[in-house]
mmCIF file of all heavy atoms in Angstrom:
data_model
loop_
_atom_site.group_PDB
_atom_site.id
_atom_site.type_symbol
_atom_site.label_atom_id
_atom_site.label_comp_id
_atom_site.label_asym_id
_atom_site.label_seq_id
_atom_site.Cartn_x
_atom_site.Cartn_y
_atom_site.Cartn_z
ATOM 1 N N CYS A 4 337.329 33.393 207.242
ATOM 2 C CA CYS A 4 336.461 33.367 206.062
ATOM 3 C C CYS A 4 335.211 32.550 206.328
ATOM 4 O O CYS A 4 334.104 32.904 205.919
ATOM 5 C CB CYS A 4 337.214 32.789 204.855
ATOM 6 S SG CYS A 4 338.524 33.885 204.251
ATOM 7 N N ASP A 29 313.630 59.838 197.144
ATOM 8 C CA ASP A 29 313.056 60.743 198.134
ATOM 9 C C ASP A 29 311.745 61.371 197.666
ATOM 10 O O ASP A 29 310.893 61.718 198.489
ATOM 11 C CB ASP A 29 314.047 61.866 198.470
ATOM 12 C CG ASP A 29 315.266 61.350 199.227
ATOM 13 O OD1 ASP A 29 315.188 60.224 199.758
ATOM 14 O OD2 ASP A 29 316.277 62.079 199.281
ATOM 15 N N ILE A 34 304.650 51.864 196.252
ATOM 16 C CA ILE A 34 303.611 51.047 196.875
ATOM 17 C C ILE A 34 303.594 49.666 196.231
ATOM 18 O O ILE A 34 303.559 49.548 195.002
ATOM 19 C CB ILE A 34 302.225 51.707 196.718
ATOM 20 C CG1 ILE A 34 302.239 53.122 197.303
ATOM 21 C CG2 ILE A 34 301.136 50.862 197.379
ATOM 22 C CD1 ILE A 34 300.979 53.909 197.029
ATOM 23 N N PRO A 40 296.068 46.243 187.514
ATOM 24 C CA PRO A 40 294.639 46.404 187.210
ATOM 25 C C PRO A 40 294.344 45.941 185.784
ATOM 26 O O PRO A 40 295.135 46.205 184.868
ATOM 27 C CB PRO A 40 294.415 47.911 187.364
ATOM 28 C CG PRO A 40 295.766 48.523 187.198
ATOM 29 C CD PRO A 40 296.749 47.530 187.708
ATOM 30 N N ARG A 46 285.771 54.133 183.135
ATOM 31 C CA ARG A 46 284.394 53.705 182.872
ATOM 32 C C ARG A 46 284.177 52.239 183.188
ATOM 33 O O ARG A 46 283.047 51.815 183.462
ATOM 34 C CB ARG A 46 284.037 53.961 181.403
ATOM 35 C CG ARG A 46 284.096 55.413 180.978
ATOM 36 C CD ARG A 46 283.942 55.543 179.477
ATOM 37 N NE ARG A 46 285.050 54.886 178.768
ATOM 38 C CZ ARG A 46 285.098 54.719 177.443
ATOM 39 N NH1 ARG A 46 284.095 55.148 176.696
ATOM 40 N NH2 ARG A 46 286.136 54.141 176.889
ATOM 41 N N HIS A 94 272.807 70.850 192.906
ATOM 42 C CA HIS A 94 273.602 71.946 192.346
ATOM 43 C C HIS A 94 275.030 71.866 192.886
ATOM 44 O O HIS A 94 275.244 71.725 194.096
ATOM 45 C CB HIS A 94 272.994 73.297 192.710
ATOM 46 C CG HIS A 94 273.829 74.463 192.287
ATOM 47 N ND1 HIS A 94 273.812 74.971 190.995
ATOM 48 C CD2 HIS A 94 274.734 75.225 192.981
ATOM 49 C CE1 HIS A 94 274.661 75.973 190.912
ATOM 50 N NE2 HIS A 94 275.229 76.161 192.099
ATOM 51 N N ASP A 124 274.123 51.702 178.519
ATOM 52 C CA ASP A 124 273.803 50.350 178.981
ATOM 53 C C ASP A 124 275.052 49.487 179.150
ATOM 54 O O ASP A 124 275.088 48.607 180.010
ATOM 55 C CB ASP A 124 272.840 49.670 178.003
ATOM 56 C CG ASP A 124 271.445 50.262 178.078
ATOM 57 O OD1 ASP A 124 271.119 50.889 179.107
ATOM 58 O OD2 ASP A 124 270.680 50.115 177.105
ATOM 59 N N ASN A 126 277.848 50.347 180.283
ATOM 60 C CA ASN A 126 278.651 50.731 181.442
ATOM 61 C C ASN A 126 278.208 49.943 182.670
ATOM 62 O O ASN A 126 277.016 49.868 182.963
ATOM 63 C CB ASN A 126 278.508 52.231 181.710
ATOM 64 C CG ASN A 126 279.504 52.729 182.729
ATOM 65 O OD1 ASN A 126 279.367 52.484 183.915
ATOM 66 N ND2 ASN A 126 280.523 53.433 182.260
ATOM 67 N N ASN A 137 268.435 65.070 183.646
ATOM 68 C CA ASN A 137 269.161 66.086 182.882
ATOM 69 C C ASN A 137 270.425 66.505 183.625
ATOM 70 O O ASN A 137 270.453 66.550 184.859
ATOM 71 C CB ASN A 137 268.277 67.320 182.673
ATOM 72 C CG ASN A 137 268.972 68.387 181.848
ATOM 73 O OD1 ASN A 137 269.364 68.139 180.706
ATOM 74 N ND2 ASN A 137 269.138 69.569 182.415
ATOM 75 N N VAL A 166 281.683 57.822 191.322
ATOM 76 C CA VAL A 166 282.072 56.899 190.245
ATOM 77 C C VAL A 166 282.283 57.644 188.932
ATOM 78 O O VAL A 166 283.139 57.272 188.119
ATOM 79 C CB VAL A 166 280.991 55.807 190.073
ATOM 80 C CG1 VAL A 166 281.226 54.999 188.802
ATOM 81 C CG2 VAL A 166 280.952 54.899 191.286
ATOM 82 N N PHE A 182 290.510 53.815 174.854
ATOM 83 C CA PHE A 182 290.837 55.015 175.614
ATOM 84 C C PHE A 182 291.909 54.754 176.665
ATOM 85 O O PHE A 182 292.711 55.634 176.992
ATOM 86 C CB PHE A 182 289.565 55.562 176.281
ATOM 87 C CG PHE A 182 289.803 56.720 177.204
ATOM 88 C CD1 PHE A 182 290.413 57.891 176.754
ATOM 89 C CD2 PHE A 182 289.421 56.663 178.539
ATOM 90 C CE1 PHE A 182 290.636 58.964 177.611
ATOM 91 C CE2 PHE A 182 289.644 57.721 179.402
ATOM 92 C CZ PHE A 182 290.257 58.875 178.940
ATOM 93 N N THR A 189 291.491 64.544 184.800
ATOM 94 C CA THR A 189 291.596 65.818 185.526
ATOM 95 C C THR A 189 292.024 65.599 186.972
ATOM 96 O O THR A 189 291.907 66.504 187.803
ATOM 97 C CB THR A 189 290.243 66.556 185.501
ATOM 98 O OG1 THR A 189 289.238 65.694 186.055
ATOM 99 C CG2 THR A 189 289.859 66.953 184.088
ATOM 100 N N LEU A 194 299.508 59.814 184.327
ATOM 101 C CA LEU A 194 300.208 58.548 184.109
ATOM 102 C C LEU A 194 301.422 58.789 183.231
ATOM 103 O O LEU A 194 301.304 59.236 182.088
ATOM 104 C CB LEU A 194 299.260 57.542 183.450
ATOM 105 C CG LEU A 194 299.821 56.137 183.219
ATOM 106 C CD1 LEU A 194 300.106 55.446 184.550
ATOM 107 C CD2 LEU A 194 298.847 55.300 182.388
ATOM 108 N N ASN A 198 303.192 49.271 182.600
ATOM 109 C CA ASN A 198 303.337 47.960 181.988
ATOM 110 C C ASN A 198 302.808 46.936 182.975
ATOM 111 O O ASN A 198 302.199 47.298 183.986
ATOM 112 C CB ASN A 198 304.792 47.678 181.583
ATOM 113 C CG ASN A 198 305.756 47.853 182.749
ATOM 114 O OD1 ASN A 198 305.544 47.312 183.841
ATOM 115 N ND2 ASN A 198 306.844 48.607 182.529
ATOM 116 N N ILE A 216 303.650 64.683 197.873
ATOM 117 C CA ILE A 216 304.582 63.762 197.220
ATOM 118 C C ILE A 216 304.508 63.989 195.715
ATOM 119 O O ILE A 216 303.447 64.266 195.162
ATOM 120 C CB ILE A 216 304.260 62.292 197.588
ATOM 121 C CG1 ILE A 216 305.463 61.393 197.314
ATOM 122 C CG2 ILE A 216 303.020 61.783 196.869
ATOM 123 C CD1 ILE A 216 306.543 61.506 198.347
ATOM 124 N N GLU A 261 305.975 51.086 210.737
ATOM 125 C CA GLU A 261 304.782 51.325 211.534
ATOM 126 C C GLU A 261 303.681 50.443 210.966
ATOM 127 O O GLU A 261 303.478 50.391 209.737
ATOM 128 C CB GLU A 261 304.382 52.792 211.476
ATOM 129 C CG GLU A 261 303.388 53.195 212.534
ATOM 130 C CD GLU A 261 303.261 54.705 212.677
ATOM 131 O OE1 GLU A 261 303.954 55.429 211.938
ATOM 132 O OE2 GLU A 261 302.473 55.141 213.532
ATOM 133 N N ALA A 294 279.721 23.044 206.185
ATOM 134 C CA ALA A 294 281.060 22.447 206.227
ATOM 135 C C ALA A 294 282.137 23.459 206.581
ATOM 136 O O ALA A 294 283.230 23.085 207.026
ATOM 137 C CB ALA A 294 281.383 21.796 204.888
ATOM 138 N N ASP A 333 278.495 21.942 210.944
ATOM 139 C CA ASP A 333 277.786 20.702 211.268
ATOM 140 C C ASP A 333 277.932 19.736 210.090
ATOM 141 O O ASP A 333 277.121 19.740 209.166
ATOM 142 C CB ASP A 333 276.314 20.982 211.564
ATOM 143 C CG ASP A 333 275.599 19.795 212.200
ATOM 144 O OD1 ASP A 333 276.011 18.650 211.934
ATOM 145 O OD2 ASP A 333 274.614 20.019 212.935
ATOM 146 N N ALA A 342 272.486 13.796 200.892
ATOM 147 C CA ALA A 342 272.123 12.390 200.683
ATOM 148 C C ALA A 342 271.302 12.151 199.411
ATOM 149 O O ALA A 342 271.529 11.155 198.708
ATOM 150 C CB ALA A 342 271.377 11.858 201.915
ATOM 151 N N HIS A 346 276.451 10.560 194.305
ATOM 152 C CA HIS A 346 277.750 10.484 194.976
ATOM 153 C C HIS A 346 278.717 9.716 194.094
ATOM 154 O O HIS A 346 278.333 8.762 193.417
ATOM 155 C CB HIS A 346 277.601 9.794 196.344
ATOM 156 C CG HIS A 346 276.895 10.624 197.372
ATOM 157 N ND1 HIS A 346 277.518 11.566 198.131
ATOM 158 C CD2 HIS A 346 275.585 10.645 197.740
ATOM 159 C CE1 HIS A 346 276.636 12.132 198.940
ATOM 160 N NE2 HIS A 346 275.460 11.585 198.720
ATOM 161 N N LYS A 358 299.139 33.674 196.501
ATOM 162 C CA LYS A 358 299.419 32.593 197.438
ATOM 163 C C LYS A 358 298.359 32.469 198.522
ATOM 164 O O LYS A 358 297.885 31.371 198.837
ATOM 165 C CB LYS A 358 300.797 32.803 198.075
ATOM 166 C CG LYS A 358 301.226 31.667 198.988
ATOM 167 C CD LYS A 358 302.618 31.924 199.558
ATOM 168 C CE LYS A 358 303.038 30.799 200.504
ATOM 169 N NZ LYS A 358 304.381 31.053 201.096
ATOM 170 N N LEU A 367 289.280 25.702 202.383
ATOM 171 C CA LEU A 367 287.850 25.570 202.113
ATOM 172 C C LEU A 367 287.553 24.241 201.424
ATOM 173 O O LEU A 367 286.565 23.556 201.744
ATOM 174 C CB LEU A 367 287.366 26.733 201.242
ATOM 175 C CG LEU A 367 287.360 28.118 201.910
ATOM 176 C CD1 LEU A 367 287.105 29.203 200.879
ATOM 177 C CD2 LEU A 367 286.310 28.177 203.013
ATOM 178 N N GLN A 370 287.700 21.434 203.934
ATOM 179 C CA GLN A 370 286.520 21.396 204.790
ATOM 180 C C GLN A 370 285.311 20.830 204.045
ATOM 181 O O GLN A 370 284.532 20.054 204.611
ATOM 182 C CB GLN A 370 286.229 22.799 205.326
ATOM 183 C CG GLN A 370 287.290 23.288 206.309
ATOM 184 C CD GLN A 370 286.993 24.664 206.874
ATOM 185 O OE1 GLN A 370 286.128 25.385 206.373
ATOM 186 N NE2 GLN A 370 287.710 25.035 207.934
ATOM 187 N N GLN A 398 282.120 27.238 188.926
ATOM 188 C CA GLN A 398 281.108 26.688 189.822
ATOM 189 C C GLN A 398 281.176 27.412 191.168
ATOM 190 O O GLN A 398 280.196 27.972 191.631
ATOM 191 C CB GLN A 398 281.331 25.183 190.020
ATOM 192 C CG GLN A 398 280.909 24.326 188.827
ATOM 193 C CD GLN A 398 281.071 22.846 189.123
ATOM 194 O OE1 GLN A 398 282.199 22.367 189.329
ATOM 195 N NE2 GLN A 398 279.972 22.109 189.129
ATOM 196 N N LYS A 459 265.449 43.111 206.378
ATOM 197 C CA LYS A 459 264.598 42.134 205.685
ATOM 198 C C LYS A 459 265.326 41.562 204.471
ATOM 199 O O LYS A 459 265.283 40.352 204.213
ATOM 200 C CB LYS A 459 263.296 42.801 205.241
ATOM 201 C CG LYS A 459 262.392 43.257 206.370
ATOM 202 C CD LYS A 459 261.174 43.966 205.812
ATOM 203 C CE LYS A 459 260.293 44.513 206.930
ATOM 204 N NZ LYS A 459 259.126 45.278 206.390
ATOM 205 N N VAL A 463 266.541 37.544 203.674
ATOM 206 C CA VAL A 463 266.209 36.769 202.470
ATOM 207 C C VAL A 463 267.467 36.151 201.880
ATOM 208 O O VAL A 463 267.507 34.966 201.537
ATOM 209 C CB VAL A 463 265.498 37.659 201.425
ATOM 210 C CG1 VAL A 463 265.325 36.903 200.110
ATOM 211 C CG2 VAL A 463 264.141 38.119 201.943
ATOM 212 N N PHE A 499 295.356 58.413 201.202
ATOM 213 C CA PHE A 499 296.462 58.841 202.065
ATOM 214 C C PHE A 499 297.555 59.551 201.290
ATOM 215 O O PHE A 499 298.349 60.309 201.860
ATOM 216 C CB PHE A 499 297.048 57.636 202.797
ATOM 217 C CG PHE A 499 297.664 56.603 201.886
ATOM 218 C CD1 PHE A 499 298.957 56.744 201.421
ATOM 219 C CD2 PHE A 499 296.936 55.483 201.485
ATOM 220 C CE1 PHE A 499 299.531 55.805 200.574
ATOM 221 C CE2 PHE A 499 297.498 54.535 200.648
ATOM 222 C CZ PHE A 499 298.792 54.692 200.187
ATOM 223 N N GLU A 504 304.123 62.715 203.412
ATOM 224 C CA GLU A 504 305.408 63.287 203.020
ATOM 225 C C GLU A 504 306.458 62.203 203.215
ATOM 226 O O GLU A 504 306.200 61.177 203.835
ATOM 227 C CB GLU A 504 305.731 64.514 203.869
ATOM 228 C CG GLU A 504 304.739 65.649 203.697
ATOM 229 C CD GLU A 504 305.111 66.850 204.551
ATOM 230 O OE1 GLU A 504 306.080 67.552 204.197
ATOM 231 O OE2 GLU A 504 304.421 67.070 205.561
#
Side-chain angles (χ1 to χ4, degrees):
C4 291
D29 292 343
I34 304 172
R46 299 171 297 172
H94 174 82
D124 288 339
N126 191 286
N137 182 59
V166 169
F182 174 58
T189 57
L194 183 65
N198 54 50
I216 199 77
E261 195 166 0
D333 193 331
H346 289 276
K358 184 179 179 181
L367 292 170
Q370 292 182 347
Q398 285 184 296
K459 294 177 184 177
V463 172
F499 63 83
E504 297 181 74

